[in-house]
Amino acid sequence: MANAREDDKLELFQREILKKAQAQREKILAESQAAKDRALEAEKDRLLEQIFRRMQAEIATLKTDHVKQVSQQAQQLKRQLYAQREGYLSQMVADAQERLAAFTQTPAYAQWLLGQVDRMAAECPWEGSVIRVRPQDLPLADQIKTHFGRACQVQAEGAAITGGAQLENREHGVLLDLTFDAALAEERDRLHQLPELRMEEVEAVGKGD
């Protein structure tokens, strides 16, 4: 009977040890799994942060590329509009020059030219002036001097002009340009300022290029 009781005690002791060992094993496994889970969570967070930062960088790059593309398209459109405007104004000036050239072939042109000389005389009441006209207008030299009313020279303008006259008085620092060409240039500048035609000048090398 004593041996049976001893065997029972030994078996109970062994089961207790196994139970504690099992509990310890489960605890170690649980702690190991928890540590593994924490490591996996940290790695997941690190990977998500990398992905997020990469996405941010890619979005920033796409945004920059889009802004550059839009800027380049705007510059290209602006150049096209500028070219169209200049072509339109050049055509207007060319048409005006053609009509003015035709006007110089009429009898009314001589009277108009002498009227411009009267205007010069009012604005420059001094002798020693030089009045320049087209070579075709030199036959009017005596009438021009009469209308100017004081000693002056009448010369043919070296550079071709459409019509009208230029006056220079070096002594008094006076320069009057009453040619068709000057009037057309002034008109072109005025047209540039019209709201319908006004735009910022296109840079030769755009900042957005």
Side-chain angles (χ1 to χ4, degrees), residues 38-196:
R38 288 194 297 272
L40 289 174
E41 187 68 20
E43 180 65 12
K44 181 192 72 175
D45 291 342
R46 187 183 68 81
L47 291 174
L48 287 175
E49 180 67 17
Q50 285 183 347
I51 293 171
F52 178 70
R53 290 185 180 279
R54 188 179 300 116
M55 288 176 62
Q56 281 186 318
E58 290 176 356
I59 290 173
T61 300
L62 288 173
K63 183 178 179 181
T64 301
D65 292 343
H66 178 69
V67 169
K68 287 182 178 179
Q69 183 179 5
V70 170
S71 177
Q72 290 171 353
Q73 290 174 348
Q75 285 291 326
Q76 184 178 1
L77 177 60
K78 196 172 183 181
R79 290 188 184 95
Q80 292 174 352
L81 291 174
Y82 182 76
Q84 289 177 359
R85 182 190 70 172
E86 293 306 301
Y88 175 68
L89 293 177
S90 295
Q91 186 58 51
M92 288 180 63
V93 170
D95 292 343
Q97 285 178 325
E98 186 176 344
R99 290 195 297 271
L100 290 171
F103 172 64
T104 62
Q105 304 303 312
T106 67
Y109 170 72
Q111 294 303 313
W112 176 86
L113 178 60
L114 294 175
Q116 297 301 93
V117 174
D118 291 336
R119 177 180 166 185
M120 289 176 169
E123 296 187 33
C124 183
W126 301 289
E127 296 183 349
S129 297
V130 176
I131 300 175
R132 299 185 179 91
V133 296
R134 300 182 309 154
Q136 302 94 309
D137 297 331
L138 284 181
L140 297 171
D142 290 341
Q143 295 183 60
I144 289 172
K145 292 179 180 179
T146 299
H147 276 260
F148 192 66
R150 55 193 65 87
C152 66
Q153 298 180 46
V154 178
Q155 299 177 357
E157 171 58 34
I161 60 176
T162 306
Q166 296 173 340
L167 177 145
E168 182 180 14
N169 189 303
R170 294 187 178 180
E171 182 179 355
H172 295 278
V174 177
L175 179 64
L176 298 176
D177 193 339
L178 303 183
T179 62
F180 290 154
D181 308 87
L184 287 172
E186 183 177 345
E187 182 65 12
R188 183 171 185 140
D189 289 341
R190 187 188 69 80
L191 290 172
H192 271 101
Q193 302 306 315
L194 289 177
E196 297 85 351

